[in-house]
Amino acid sequence: MFSRLYTTAICIILFPIVNLSAAYKDEVHHTQLTNELSLRGISVPTGAGVGVTQVEAREDTNLNNTLDSNEGYRPNSSSSEFSGKTITDVSNLGQDPSNHGTSVGRNLYGNTTSISPGVTAISVYETNNFLGSGWYSGTPSTESNPLQNHSWVTWRANSNAAPRRMDYAVNRDGFLPIVGIYNSDYGEQTTASDIPDTYGSIYNGITVGVSDGTHRYGTTTYDGAGRTKPDIVAPGGIPGSNPATQYTSFATPIITAAAAFLIDAAGSNTAAKDQLTLKAILLAGADKSISANWDQTPTRPIDDVYGAGELDIYQSYFIQQGGQQIVGSTIGTHGWNLANLSSNSSETYTINISSGFRLRRLSVLVTWNRKVKKQGPFFNPSLANMSLELTDDDDSSIVQSSDSAVDNIEHIWRDSGSELEAGGYTLTVVTDDAVQYAIAWRSELYQDYTLWSSTAFTSSTPSAEQDPTDDPDGDGIENQLEQAFGGDPETSDLSILPISETIEDVGQSYLQISYRKPDFENGLNYTVETVTDLNGIWSSSISEVELISITSETGGYDRYTYRRVAPLSSHEKAFLRVSLTQ
């Protein structure tokens, strides 16, 4: 049955794996997220309690174009990266560990490399053995883990069999398969845009490319032609090696680890852990700045090279934490919903932008599954045709729409150059068939000084006293500072100013300062600086002053607290200040 099969790992590794930290974490904003959560006193998700399935192709480590009997697929369980893990070799073929499988495992659940080191239960399959358990013919075996990782591809004689069975199993078991697209320098395709059927052509999962664009990309040929792939990209450097050379094999487990991270972060919220919700959140959070050429059209929801963009776990986390917001509600800047639509119907979500604000970097993404009905030996698919539309409530005009006839993703993206003005807007989700869908969104409220001043002053303040350096209420706080710290320029209130104090910590005294900052973007940069001599040069170096906490306050503000690194005992005097720049 498998004589016609050409299966390959998407990359072959031929050198020892060294234990280096993962630089990619900065790129996908994991470092930024973990730092902020720590400063806010929030536990960082680790993927704890999430089981994963890792399917691996055997590796020709001898480079003799033959798979010797000992050449295997499984990760090396003796690696320190996998200490404390239970790696179950389900296929149990008795072969040597694979460098490829080990590197995939490091990015997926490695103790120091992965963003989800808390994943400890891993089921490993060899590709032929996996496909032979009903995933190519017959009925797929039950998947009990919420995530599958496939860092391999293949083309098969019956190009519909594997994708349809995968989509069927997703609907039946509720897991999320995450699969790599081929690298650009591998494969037998006649054109660079050919997407493999197994599993690059699935509907009910996430297909992954690499951040530098060196992957096969374009549109599907098999089982539903014309769909844009990949869905998302991630850094694909070999763990412990030069990150400049990227492979989809190692980008794919980074996306899988991100999904595990979000499952952990969801806690007991079942809807937040649903595979559709996870997909929508990951794609809606993706970073478009990965390419200056990222684009979309009304009928092509995502970029034809970079998909929805590069993984941004910071944005995806806060989309999830924005919470489920029901149909018909006025939605916040971040959030999601999992809902059902009946045949030939629509549902709406409202966006209200207050006077004095604009909304930018709006990313809204809808996704739904292909239905696959098993009828005897056949797996017959059907796909609802959905659309997404953003309209202006003032005149019901269409601001932007996404209406692909073939994809099971619809996406609206508006960058900082396409801001929405104050007012009301409506997001409308439409379907021609009964369907369950997930919608996720993120956006950024923006208010610079001009916008702020348009609502901050009443007629009692002459226009001549509305400049940034004016002080119409005479409290000694200029208008620019009133904006920065959340004051009312017409009411005297010194309590908005930064607070400087001396605190005791482990027997030492430290000078610290805290200030209020709005939780929306206001066009200002806040920098805390220190000096020990007022005639000296002020410094913001992290070796001299450090951010120690962020706490939420009422009214949409956060309080940032900084402290001098050196105790007061090291100097006769010291000073701190908050510097503002535009």
Side-chain angles (χ1 to χ4, degrees), residues 167-442:
D167 288 346
Y168 167 83
V170 169
N171 292 328
R172 182 193 64 189
D173 301 333
F175 66 95
L176 178 63
I178 299 173
V179 307
I181 296 295
Y182 231 23
N183 298 306
S184 62
D185 56 347
Y186 284 82
E188 298 180 333
Q189 307 100 309
T190 57
T191 65
S193 63
D194 282 347
I195 304 298
D197 61 282
T198 309
Y199 280 109
S201 295
I202 61 172
Y203 288 77
N204 302 350
I206 297 177
T207 56
V208 184
V210 290
S211 297
D212 65 3
T214 55
H215 52 261
R216 295 294 176 111
Y217 56 82
T219 56
T220 55
T221 301
Y222 307 105
D223 201 20
R227 293 174 289 127
T228 304
K229 296 291 181 177
D231 297 315
I232 195 171
V233 299
I238 301 171
S241 185
N242 183 0
T245 303
Q246 299 195 17
Y247 302 92
T248 56
S249 276
F250 312 121
T252 302
I254 291 175
I255 301 297
T256 309
F261 184 100
L262 292 174
I263 292 173
D264 183 14
S268 60
N269 190 328
T270 302
K273 295 187 283 189
D274 187 271
Q275 53 89 19
L276 272 176
T277 306
L278 292 171
K279 180 178 178 179
I281 288 175
L282 286 166
L283 299 190
D287 184 2
K288 278 36 175 196
S289 67
I290 185 63
S291 170
N293 297 318
W294 192 98
D295 71 352
Q296 61 180 176
T297 71
T299 57
R300 175 171 52 79
I302 55 178
D303 187 74
D304 55 3
V305 178
Y306 298 96
E310 183 179 45
L311 171 67
D312 186 335
I313 192 63
Y314 181 97
Q315 289 291 347
S316 291
Y317 173 84
F318 283 108
I319 290 173
Q320 183 194 69
Q321 297 303 303
Q324 186 171 9
Q325 298 169 42
I326 63 173
V327 170
S329 65
T330 298
I331 61 177
T333 57
H334 293 69
W336 56 274
N337 193 25
L338 181 66
N340 292 284
L341 265 172
S342 57
S343 180
N344 295 311
S345 64
S346 64
E347 292 178 338
T348 61
Y349 301 82
T350 299
I351 299 173
N352 279 333
I353 307 171
S354 300
S355 296
F357 287 88
R358 290 177 182 167
L359 193 73
R360 62 185 188 180
R361 299 190 177 97
L362 172 65
S363 173
V364 187
L365 189 135
V366 172
T367 188
W368 64 101
N369 281 346
R370 175 171 71 163
K371 300 175 184 177
V372 181
K373 186 175 182 180
K374 186 176 185 299
Q375 296 175 302
F378 303 105
F379 289 78
N380 298 320
S382 64
L383 181 70
N385 185 15
M386 300 189 72
S387 64
L388 176 65
E389 190 173 81
L390 175 67
T391 55
D392 189 329
D393 292 349
D394 282 346
D395 57 9
S396 299
S397 62
I398 298 174
V399 178
Q400 191 168 338
S401 64
S402 177
D403 189 8
S404 169
V406 294
D407 293 280
N408 62 324
I409 292 171
E410 301 294 357
H411 185 30
I412 286 175
W413 164 249
R414 299 185 67 81
D415 61 23
S416 57
S418 303
E419 299 172 340
L420 295 177
E421 302 286 344
Y425 300 84
T426 298
L427 285 165
T428 303
V429 182
V430 181
T431 184
D432 69 345
D433 194 12
V435 68
Q436 183 180 52
Y437 72 93
I439 182 172
W441 62 87
R442 64 178 171 95

Side-chain angles (χ1 to χ4, degrees), residues 512-533:
Q512 71 179 32
I513 193 170
S514 66
Y515 62 86
R516 288 185 359 133
K517 179 183 178 182
D519 59 8
F520 52 82
E521 178 59 43
N522 64 0
L524 296 174
N525 299 310
Y526 298 68
T527 305
V528 172
E529 300 171 322
T530 187
V531 73
T532 55
D533 184 342

Side-chain angles (χ1 to χ4, degrees), residues 424-507:
Y425 300 84
T426 298
L427 285 165
T428 303
V429 182
V430 181
T431 184
D432 69 345
D433 194 12
V435 68
Q436 183 180 52
Y437 72 93
I439 182 172
W441 62 87
R442 64 178 171 95
S443 58
E444 179 184 89
L445 275 175
Y446 177 73
Q447 184 187 64
D448 61 11
Y449 184 83
T450 300
L451 290 168
W452 175 81
S453 62
S454 70
T455 59
F457 298 105
T458 66
S459 58
S460 64
T461 301
S463 58
E465 295 181 14
Q466 296 181 14
D467 290 336
T469 56
D470 291 332
D471 180 19
D473 59 8
D475 60 0
I477 305 175
E478 296 178 354
N479 290 335
Q480 184 84 80
L481 299 180
E482 298 272 11
Q483 178 213 0
F485 300 126
D488 181 344
E490 297 181 335
T491 302
S492 179
D493 184 4
L494 299 181
S495 68
I496 69 166
L497 291 174
I499 299 170
S500 181
E501 58 187 333
T502 300
I503 59 98
E504 299 293 324
D505 190 1
V506 195

